[in-house]
């Protein structure tokens, strides 16, 4: 599907330009904003959702995150608040007063910032395998991130020194961690392709600037209807992390995809899209939102 509009939005704080595309019918009543994820990849990570949502009558906006795709590549400026400010700039450039957010992995951090600090502009939030921590690092690395590892095996590949020397090796290995399901060669190849033009120093900056000790105070303040989708074989962000996140959000729902890895929206798009459709249908702005908050005070697997 080709976009009916595309352009650039300028972050008013640092001048970084984010490339966006708009799909779906002109004059649609609701907008779904597909947030960028980690800058390793660009907005194509939502390729399975764009046509589905647009053909159901939603206005759909996608964004290339700073550092990848057609967006600017600053040497620094990769905090959650930087990405949230980029998203707000896109909303302004596209005339979007409020939107339902889709957030994958690291994109969950900017979604949380938007949902709390700009609550009037966020109708609902769907998190896919959110890489958000409330109590320390998401994962224990065998070697400190900025220290040369003794070897380049396993999670020692998630390392600044290794990225400077052989980022291509990390990209292929990480794609295999995202898609652990059998017969996943194509989506793994997609990740490698989408990360082809990322620079090591930019990717390193996304890690060095990603500390968020303030998230433990911000996260419980999310008040919108929330759906979290997580695979039970996720090797990037453990399912238990989402269970811990949802223990702080009584209005949220957790749906577990059995046998799925880190990106169920790409690997199992039919099931994910139907789940997304049902969630959006029953959380339309207005009375439906109030009913959802009353009815969804539990998690289900």
């Amino acid at each position: 599907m080709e976009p009916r509009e595309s352009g650039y939005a300028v972050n008013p704080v640092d001048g970084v330009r984010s490339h966006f595309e708009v799909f779906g019918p002109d004059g649609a009543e609701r907008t779904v904003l597909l947030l960028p994820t980690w800058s390793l990849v660009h907005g194509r990570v939502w390729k399975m959702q764009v046509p589905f949502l647009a053909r159901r009558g939603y206005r759909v906006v996608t964004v290339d995150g700073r550092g990848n795709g057609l967006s600017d590549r600053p040497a620094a400026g990769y905090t959650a608040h930087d990405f949230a400010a980029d998203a707000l700039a896109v909303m302004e450039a596209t005339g979007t007063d409020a939107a339902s957010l889709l957030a994958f992995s690291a994109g969950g951090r900017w979604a949380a910032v938007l949902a709390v600090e700009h609550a009037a502009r966020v109708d609902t939030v769907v998190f896919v395998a959110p890489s958000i921590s409330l109590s320390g690092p998401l994962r224990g690395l065998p070697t400190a991130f900025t220290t040369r590892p003794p070897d380049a095996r396993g999670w020692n590949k998630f390392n600044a020194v290794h990225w400077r020397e052989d980022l291509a090796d990390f990209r292929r290995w990480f794609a295999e961690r995202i898609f652990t399901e059998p017969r996943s060669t194509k989506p793994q190849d997609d990740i490698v392709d989408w990360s082809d033009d990322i620079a090591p120093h930019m990717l390193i900056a996304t890690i060095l600037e990603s500390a968020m000790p303030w998230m433990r105070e911000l996260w419980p303040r999310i008040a919108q209807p929330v759906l979290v989708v997580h695979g039970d074989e996720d090797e990037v962000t453990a399912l238990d992390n989402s269970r811990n996140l949802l223990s702080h959000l009584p209005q949220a729902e957790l749906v577990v995809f059995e046998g799925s890895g880190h990106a169920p929206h790409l690997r199992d798009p039919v099931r994910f899209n139907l789940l997304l459709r049902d969630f959006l249908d029953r959380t339309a702005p207005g009375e439906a939102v109030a009913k959802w908050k009353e009815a969804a005070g539990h998690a289900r697997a």
Side-chain angles (χ1 to χ4, degrees):
M1 176 176 283
E2 294 296 324
R4 62 175 175 81
E5 177 188 349
S6 63
Y8 286 89
V10 180
N11 186 317
V13 178
D14 59 12
V16 169
R17 299 181 311 151
S18 296
H19 185 263
F20 65 82
E21 294 182 336
V22 182
F23 304 81
D26 190 17
E29 293 184 0
R30 295 183 67 187
T31 297
V32 182
L33 176 58
L34 311 186
L35 292 171
T37 183
W38 188 26
S39 294
L40 180 72
V41 295
H42 48 65
R44 287 283 286 164
V45 295
W46 297 113
K47 69 175 186 175
M48 298 293 190
Q49 282 66 58
V50 169
F52 176 82
L53 290 168
R55 288 168 182 151
R56 283 193 59 79
Y58 290 100
R59 181 169 175 263
V60 182
V61 180
T62 65
V63 188
D64 288 340
R66 54 173 61 203
N68 206 322
L70 298 176
S71 294
D72 286 349
R73 291 159 161 73
Y78 293 93
T79 70
H81 283 86
D82 291 321
F83 283 97
D86 291 344
L88 287 172
V90 168
M91 294 180 76
E92 292 297 327
T94 57
T96 303
D97 294 328
S100 293
L101 306 181
L102 261 64
F104 169 46
S105 193
R109 302 167 197 165
W110 8 118
V113 171
L114 291 168
V116 173
E117 298 184 0
H118 305 275
R121 308 198 69 168
V122 178
D123 295 328
T124 62
V125 189
V126 176
F127 294 94
V128 183
S131 291
I132 297 173
S133 174
L134 302 185
S135 57
L138 281 167
R139 61 190 65 88
L141 298 177
T143 304
F145 178 68
T146 56
T147 302
R148 178 179 293 277
D151 55 57
R153 294 195 295 265
W155 279 95
N156 272 334
K157 297 178 187 291
F158 197 97
N159 177 273
V161 178
H162 184 61
W163 293 357
R164 292 190 187 99
E165 297 178 349
D166 195 354
L167 184 58
D169 175 65
F170 167 75
R171 287 163 46 218
R172 170 57 64 181
W173 173 85
F174 195 67
E176 294 170 355
R177 304 286 74 72
I178 294 174
F179 296 102
T180 55
E181 301 91 336
R183 299 176 295 280
S184 293
T185 302
K186 177 59 170 68
Q188 291 170 357
D189 287 347
D190 282 344
I191 296 296
V192 173
D193 180 54
W194 299 337
S195 62
D196 185 54
D197 61 353
I198 187 71
H201 71 277
M202 293 179 194
L203 201 61
I204 291 167
T206 67
I207 302 302
L208 297 181
E209 298 182 30
S210 65
M212 46 184 174
W214 43 267
M215 185 61 77
R216 65 176 62 94
E217 283 77 36
L218 182 139
W219 176 264
R221 293 163 55 199
I222 296 175
Q224 296 87 347
V226 168
L227 171 67
V228 177
V229 179
H230 209 126
D232 67 351
E233 295 187 6
D234 191 333
E235 293 188 7
V236 177
T237 303
L239 171 59
D240 281 347
N241 188 71
S242 279
R243 288 184 169 132
N244 178 56
L245 291 174
L246 266 69
S247 69
H248 300 272
L249 294 180
Q251 83 279 17
E253 178 183 7
L254 171 66
V255 176
V256 177
F257 278 27
E258 294 183 0
S260 290
H262 189 57
H265 67 295
L266 283 167
R267 194 60 183 83
D268 196 356
V270 173
R271 182 184 177 193
F272 177 85
N273 289 348
L274 293 177
L275 183 69
L276 174 62
R277 176 201 65 187
D278 293 344
F279 176 75
L280 291 174
D281 284 353
R282 69 178 184 254
T283 56
E287 183 179 354
V289 173
K291 291 182 178 179
W292 165 255
K293 289 181 178 180
E294 293 174 5
H298 65 282
R300 65 184 179 88

